[in-house]
Amino acid sequence: MTFSAVDVITTKRDGGHLSDEAIDWVLAAYTRGDVADEQMASLAMAILLNGMEAQEISRWTQAMIDSGEVLALPDVGRPLVDKHSTGGVGDKITLPLAPLVAACGAAVPQLSGRGLGHTGGTLDKLESIPGWRASLNAEEIAAQLADVGVVICATTPTLAPADRKLYALRDVTGTVESIPLIASSIMSKKIAEGTGGLVLDVKVGSGAFMKSLDRSTELARTMVAIGGAHGLPTRALLTDMSVPLGRTVGNALEVAESVEVLRGGGPADVVELTVALAREMLALAGLDADPAAVLASGAAYEVWERMIAAQGGDPSAPLPVAAHVEPVVAERSGVLSTCDALAVGIAAWRLGAGRARKEDAVQAGAGVRLLVEVGEEVEAGQPLLELHTDTPAAVAGARAALSSGLVVSEEPAERPRLLIDALR
Ligand code: URA
């Protein structure tokens, strides 16, 4: 059946329900180029303003999956399980988590993206490792999963192409922040990837897509429901993103911190979240290993080395460092009461760690190293964090971003609770 793009748009504009056939048609026609960008942008805005019902979201997700191929992963003799984070500042958790879960006996097919805006992308972080290659074809993904048990690589071009086109359009038309569109975008890629179970880390707070607990909970519920409707067992943790995760924000800085965690050290919050997500993934995979013990044993670090080497990287090579490093100091004595995730994310991005447009390059060594945690006492003049960049002219912009994001006060303060809720 053929529809008119204008009828589909006006149906949603007027608060109506899109039929299965209309959804199938509009996404297929958009992928082919028969529905124009301006028409899809208008429909995306109508969806953002008027929402979609559960049935529409489920069908939209299926139509995005059907726009490409589903990755046929071979039976590797281990349960397949993956995780997805909705993105945050300093969120390097995939780096220690994926090898940890593989070391516990599961297989982890982690098809990932690059960062845009203030949240970093897993591929950008790993590309700071000399020689490491993000693009693998379907055969290479399958072979590495069978051999190492874990692969972190770029999504293949045939996976949900409708989403790739639509996400780029949403990015420049103010239509990213729609729960149905975010949920269907994420879930279509994960379902098409062929994982057997999925754990979502849905971030809450200033550095997250969704700033409020209500909106984050709705996003998590929507994604868990899509997983259920498509036969993909899905769980979600809601976790804090009002302060950055760990002590580093920026590509090579975050790789170095992840390696510390894999070697049994690293910041407590990164370890806590890595282990919490691993427990959920292992429960979905039906495995009863203890991820905290496996992390401490060094077994996850061995898997990391094999995973990096399998993609051409040298796990023992020195990581790139920025040409210029300078501190931001406390202006008064007291307690660090606020270290705002969004402010730190924007600072790192301005220093060169992130990109403004998807074709921009990122600086491997750029970013922010936090020297003090929320709740710690500081003296006037004490360095609170370091700014790392190859372009010193970027420092003023980073300092401006941080100006109201770092607060030293007289009152005692505590880091907000990291694990907020779980949907199982
Ligand atoms: N990440 C995605 O993959 N899609 C969205 O819409 C938002 C974040």
Side-chain angles (χ1 to χ4, degrees), residues 58-104:
S58 179
R59 190 67 176 212
W60 187 275
T61 307
Q62 188 60 49
M64 297 230 285
I65 297 167
D66 293 343
S67 71
E69 286 165 14
V70 174
L71 204 63
L73 293 172
D75 181 358
V76 291
R78 306 165 174 224
L80 290 166
V81 65
D82 194 9
K83 81 71 106 140
H84 178 84
S85 158
T86 57
V89 177
D91 184 2
K92 72 273 298 168
I93 300 295
T94 292
L95 274 49
L97 176 65
L100 171 60
V101 172
C104 291

Side-chain angles (χ1 to χ4, degrees), residues 89-376:
V89 177
D91 184 2
K92 72 273 298 168
I93 300 295
T94 292
L95 274 49
L97 176 65
L100 171 60
V101 172
C104 291
V108 185
Q110 165 78 213
L111 271 55
S112 241
R114 285 171 209 285
L116 194 64
H118 73 275
T119 60
T122 299
L123 301 182
D124 296 320
K125 299 178 213 273
L126 286 169
E127 276 176 343
S128 65
I129 300 172
W132 188 84
R133 185 166 63 94
S135 293
L136 301 184
N137 62 32
E139 290 73 41
E140 290 172 319
I141 293 172
Q144 187 171 323
L145 260 189
D147 184 29
V148 187
V150 51
V151 56
I152 305 177
C153 65
T155 52
T156 61
T158 54
L159 211 94
D163 176 65
R164 186 163 314 107
K165 206 172 162 188
L166 180 55
Y167 191 31
L169 182 71
R170 287 166 54 214
D171 194 40
V172 293
T173 55
T175 51
V176 169
E177 291 87 355
S178 149
I179 287 178
L181 292 179
I182 296 174
S184 56
S185 164
I186 292 171
M187 294 303 289
S188 64
K189 285 174 286 200
K190 288 296 168 187
I191 295 166
E193 163 196 285
T195 182
L198 179 65
V199 175
L200 300 161
D201 180 5
V202 180
K203 301 292 188 193
V204 188
S206 71
F209 262 128
M210 300 290 147
K211 316 290 179 203
S212 75
L213 182 56
D214 281 357
R215 296 267 296 159
S216 301
T217 304
E218 193 189 333
L219 177 61
R221 285 213 181 102
T222 306
M223 291 194 286
V224 170
I226 295 173
H230 289 81
L232 174 61
T234 304
R235 296 180 171 195
L237 295 186
L238 287 140
T239 71
D240 177 69
M241 188 31 70
S242 60
V243 298
L245 259 174
R247 293 286 192 117
T248 58
V249 182
N251 301 308
L253 290 167
E254 291 190 42
V255 171
E257 188 169 273
S258 302
V259 167
E260 279 173 35
V261 171
L262 284 159
R263 287 191 150 143
D269 58 347
V270 179
V271 175
E272 181 186 356
L273 186 51
T274 302
V275 169
L277 288 165
R279 283 194 210 291
E280 300 295 338
M281 290 170 75
L282 293 170
L284 278 184
L287 296 167
D288 68 0
D290 174 2
V294 173
L295 195 57
S297 76
Y301 181 69
E302 283 173 29
V303 176
W304 160 267
E305 286 189 304
R306 293 180 56 216
M307 174 183 86
I308 297 301
Q311 286 168 249
D314 178 355
S316 56
L319 290 165
V321 291
H324 178 85
V325 179
E326 68 176 62
V328 172
V329 301
E331 285 169 10
R332 52 179 291 193
S333 300
V335 172
L336 182 68
S337 59
T338 300
C339 178
D340 180 64
L342 181 60
V344 175
I346 292 174
W349 174 47
R350 289 186 178 167
L351 290 167
R355 52 172 71 77
R357 290 170 309 149
K358 64 179 187 318
E359 46 292 337
D360 294 349
V362 296
Q363 290 177 27
V368 173
R369 183 188 295 283
L370 305 167
L371 303 172
V372 174
E373 272 174 32
V374 168
E376 267 183 59

